[in-house]
Amino acid sequence: MIKRSNLEIMAKLIGMVRPLLGYMLLAITLGLIGHLLASFITIFAGYAALKVWGFPIAHSIAFFFVCMVVFAIARGFARYTEQSCNHYIAFKLLALIRAKAFAALRRLCPAKLEGRDKGDLISVITSDIELLEVFYAHTISPIAIATIYSVILSLFIGHIHWGLGLLALAAYVTVGVIVPVIASKTSGDLGLEFRNQSGSLSAFVLDSLRGLPEAMQYGNGKKRMQQMNERTDRMNDCQEKMKRVTGLNMAVTNTAILVFDFLMLLSASYLYKEGIIAFDGIVIATLALMSSFGPVVALANLGTTLQNTFASGNRVLDILEEEPQVAEITGADQTTYGQVTIEDVTFAYEKETILDGVSLDVPKQGILGIVGKSGSGKSTLLKLLMRFWDVDSGKLAIADREIGKINTEDLRRMLMELAALTDKLTVEWTPPSDGPERPCVRVLRADGADTGIAFHGVPGGHEFNSFVVGLYNAAGPGQSIDPALAEAIAAIDRPLDLQIVVALSCTMCPELVIAAQKIAASNPLVTAKVYDVNHFPELRERYKIMSVPCLIINKTKVAFGKKTLGQLLELLAEPEAGQTG
């Protein structure tokens, strides 16, 4: 893994915004206007109060109240539009980054899948990419907004007195720059450590599921559970450290705000006492500063929250920027399958030598058996013939042509021709697809029958656990439930197609997903299909989805929010829930 600085990661992630630069500029403009409107609502309230107290203010009280109402309405519109732009940018870019990640994996495979834990890769392309939403939706435009906003408010306060303007600028720099930098240094590599542990845990869980029959056969289940608990505890300890740093950061931020508010009041009062400013200068300068910390507080919080995001960004950039083990060969003369020549081949995984001076001739036709103990290099030799990697030394050739000079497509075709010679070997090459239902993971029973449970996307993030629970429920008997709820599930006598739209970072989605999957696993009339909103933006557009989880019943009725099994059954019992329209 390449260790990049936070600034380098930020620069590379910002570079991906270029296709959506117009939306980003619109979000920054609207965010700046919204914060200025919010601050001037308070400032105008101060002017109105001064007018009531009899100070010579140019405008009437009615003028200030009308402005405050108009500003409040405009502030709501600006805030909504800004957040819509930010999340549009985030979701579009997450889709773009995922497409780039899958393209990179296609370029790096199959060697990449051999050289890295699959669970860790799943963690990168799911939860790590999902975490980048924090950066694109809540980081880029807030930094720009806070910078411009701080300058404007400092100038506004400075028009009362230049010293007060400098004090305001010092407050903004302290809260928005110094505090988050210190918090970031205090966090150290906790974010990267947490993301690596999360990826390692995902890999361990995936390996445990694969080896479940062996674990049960050899009574290794308790040991695997203990190891999983130990990994989870280490990850929780790391997360607890991050939370303590976040809490300390918030305390320091709030203390700094109170100190600068008090300093502004004292400084303005001193200038009033010396006859340099009027009494209204005390009120307006203090109110302006007290109401203007919103944008820089958002930056102060980034010092700790971005540690996770930058760690995820670093892991994603590792995939995007990694060079393939071997380059795909195109444009060479076509090669057909012939005799295989292996001559004095040596190959090592990093420093561990697997094959050392191996030579072998494999005739075009006939049967050849290769035997040896586990780890002696039998599988490695076959993978070298498929050019997962290049040999360290020696020669590999098919039909008198070196492997490295044969078109990659010809190698795939040869494998398929080899598979046609025996029913013991199956090779399937599936090109990338943009079909409306892909990617998709379906849960089938042992006889191949569909359970009605499907995940459209790559199960990861908070949905990895619900996916595992779905497998458990489909396998039967699954989770135990209240007999009354079991009766309600069995009583469903009409087809129900449940589509649950989720985000992998959503903490409220799994409960609804698990409830829907339990119903589908128990009643053949019900299907539960989970959709990752980042893979299926057309669902978000069609059903006007602004939050997740979103439940779509028979493509007609839409409901939002998490639901227990009982609440979901009550919803499905309503007559309109079963209508297909």
Side-chain angles (χ1 to χ4, degrees):
M1 177 179 290
I2 301 174
K3 184 69 168 64
R4 302 173 179 86
S5 68
N6 288 347
L7 285 177
E8 184 181 358
I9 295 171
M10 184 181 294
K12 289 179 181 292
L13 293 178
I14 290 176
M16 297 181 185
V17 181
R18 289 174 186 169
L20 299 169
L21 185 59
Y23 284 99
M24 179 59 68
L25 293 176
L26 178 60
I28 292 172
T29 302
L30 290 170
L32 177 62
I33 293 172
H35 281 294
L36 288 173
L37 290 171
S39 292
F40 275 91
I41 289 174
T42 305
I43 292 170
F44 276 24
Y47 279 119
L50 289 169
K51 186 73 174 180
V52 171
W53 295 334
F55 287 88
I57 304 299
H59 300 286
S60 65
I61 295 177
F63 170 81
F64 290 117
F65 273 100
V66 169
C67 287
M68 289 164 61
V69 171
V70 172
F71 285 4
I73 296 172
R75 157 68 170 163
F77 172 79
R79 179 67 173 171
Y80 176 83
T81 311
E82 176 213 352
Q83 290 300 308
S84 294
C85 288
N86 281 333
H87 284 86
Y88 176 81
I89 292 168
F91 286 129
K92 282 288 185 182
L93 284 175
L94 291 188
L96 176 65
I97 293 171
R98 268 207 181 90
K100 287 186 175 183
F102 280 113
L105 287 175
R106 283 193 288 269
R107 187 181 72 250
L108 297 171
C109 287
K112 185 66 178 177
L113 292 180
E114 291 295 319
R116 184 165 179 171
D117 288 332
K118 281 75 169 179
D120 191 38
L121 276 177
I122 291 174
S123 178
V124 171
I125 61 179
T126 54
S127 56
D128 280 333
I129 292 179
E130 195 76 21
L131 269 175
L132 296 183
E133 187 265 345
V134 174
F135 179 78
Y136 288 116
H138 306 291
T139 303
I140 300 178
S141 65
I143 289 175
I145 290 167
T147 302
I148 302 171
Y149 175 89
S150 298
V151 172
I152 294 175
L153 262 292
S154 296
L155 292 174
F156 174 78
I157 296 173
H159 96 279
I160 299 173
H161 188 271
W162 62 269
L164 299 181
L166 289 178
L167 179 61
L169 185 60
Y172 300 141
V173 170
T174 300
V175 174
V177 179
I178 296 176
V179 170
V181 168
I182 293 175
S184 177
K185 291 184 179 298
T186 304
S187 298
D189 291 331
L190 284 176
L192 184 59
E193 181 184 346
F194 179 77
R195 295 312 310 162
N196 287 337
Q197 288 183 3
S198 177
S200 175
L201 180 61
S202 295
F204 185 83
V205 171
L206 190 61
D207 288 341
S208 298
L209 289 173
R210 280 178 167 171
L212 190 59
E214 290 80 3
M216 296 175 65
Q217 180 180 356
Y218 295 106
N220 201 29
K222 289 184 177 180
K223 182 178 179 181
R224 295 293 289 187
M225 178 62 72
Q226 180 183 355
Q227 292 173 332
M228 188 179 299
N229 288 336
E230 289 173 355
R231 289 170 180 264
T232 303
D233 289 341
R234 286 197 297 270
M235 192 170 71
N236 288 338
D237 289 342
C238 184
Q239 190 173 36
E240 188 63 32
K241 292 178 183 177
M242 292 171 63
K243 287 181 177 179
R244 284 199 292 269
V245 173
T246 300
L248 179 61
N249 177 56
M250 292 177 63
V252 171
T253 299
N254 291 331
T255 301
I257 290 172
L258 289 174
V259 168
F260 277 107
D261 285 340
F262 187 64
L263 286 176
M264 180 62 74
L265 179 61
L266 286 180
S267 301
S269 299
Y270 173 78
L271 292 173
Y272 169 71
K273 180 181 177 182
E274 295 296 319
I276 299 174
I277 64 173
F279 180 78
D280 60 339
I282 301 176
V283 176
I284 299 304
T286 305
L287 285 177
L289 184 66
M290 292 176 65
S291 65
S292 61
F293 279 106
V296 289
V297 166
L299 298 191
N301 295 334
L302 293 180
T304 50
T305 57
L306 275 185
Q307 288 303 306
N308 244 344
T309 305
F310 283 146
S312 295
N314 193 58
R315 284 158 55 86
V316 172
L317 289 172
D318 278 343
I319 296 291
L320 298 182
E321 297 179 357
E322 184 173 344
E323 293 297 326
Q325 295 280 348
V326 294
E328 187 160 317
I329 304 298
T330 59
D333 294 336
Q334 184 174 357
T335 304
T336 56
Y337 182 71
Q339 177 171 309
V340 176
T341 302
I342 303 171
E343 185 177 310
D344 199 23
V345 167
T346 298
F347 178 78
Y349 292 115
E350 296 181 350
K351 295 181 180 180
E352 182 183 3
T353 300
I354 303 298
L355 301 174
D356 187 8
V358 174
S359 296
L360 180 67
D361 288 328
V362 182
K364 181 178 180 179
Q365 294 180 335
I367 298 175
L368 176 68
I370 301 177
V371 297
K373 64 180 182 179
S374 178
S376 61
K378 304 184 297 296
S379 298
T380 299
L381 185 60
L382 291 175
K383 289 169 184 175
L384 288 172
L385 286 172
M386 292 184 283
R387 202 164 175 255
F388 279 32
W389 314 277
D390 285 327
V391 298
D392 295 335
S393 63
K395 176 183 176 183
L396 278 177
I398 297 178
D400 295 326
R401 176 172 289 182
E402 289 190 29
I403 290 284
K405 297 179 181 178
I406 298 176
N407 288 327
T408 304
E409 190 61 37
D410 289 345
L411 279 177
R412 292 173 184 152
R413 179 176 45 76
M414 290 178 198
L415 286 173
M416 294 180 183
E417 290 176 359
L418 179 63
L421 300 177
T422 172
D423 59 0
K424 302 297 184 182
L425 177 63
T426 300
V427 176
E428 181 179 353
W429 173 253
T430 304
S433 170
D434 296 322
E437 294 296 314
R438 296 182 67 175
C440 175
V441 180
R442 295 189 181 279
V443 179
L444 307 178
R445 302 192 190 280
D447 59 1
D450 195 344
T451 62
I453 298 174
F455 192 102
H456 294 273
V458 181
H462 291 289
E463 292 308 323
F464 186 77
N465 290 339
S466 59
F467 179 70
V468 173
V469 174
L471 291 174
Y472 176 59
N473 285 331
Q479 296 170 297
S480 60
I481 59 174
D482 185 90
L485 295 178
E487 289 181 10
I489 294 174
I492 297 175
D493 58 359
R494 58 186 179 278
L496 289 175
D497 178 28
L498 307 182
Q499 295 173 285
I500 307 100
V501 183
V502 302
L504 301 185
S505 60
C506 170
T507 57
M508 297 189 295
C509 296
E511 187 171 8
L512 174 60
V513 170
I514 292 173
Q517 290 178 340
K518 179 61 179 176
I519 297 173
S522 305
N523 191 315
L525 293 175
V526 182
T527 59
K529 304 170 186 175
V530 184
Y531 291 83
D532 181 352
V533 69
N534 289 310
H535 281 295
F536 299 92
E538 65 276 6
L539 285 178
R540 185 173 66 243
E541 298 296 330
R542 185 187 312 160
Y543 295 103
K544 310 298 181 188
I545 299 173
M546 298 301 294
S547 65
V548 290
C550 172
L551 173 65
I552 305 163
I553 305 171
N554 286 342
K555 296 183 172 59
T556 56
K557 183 174 182 177
V558 179
F560 294 94
K562 69 175 184 178
K563 290 172 178 58
T564 63
L565 179 58
Q567 291 170 333
L568 179 56
L569 286 169
E570 289 178 5
L571 181 63
L572 298 179
E574 298 175 4
E576 61 268 24
Q579 296 174 359
T580 60

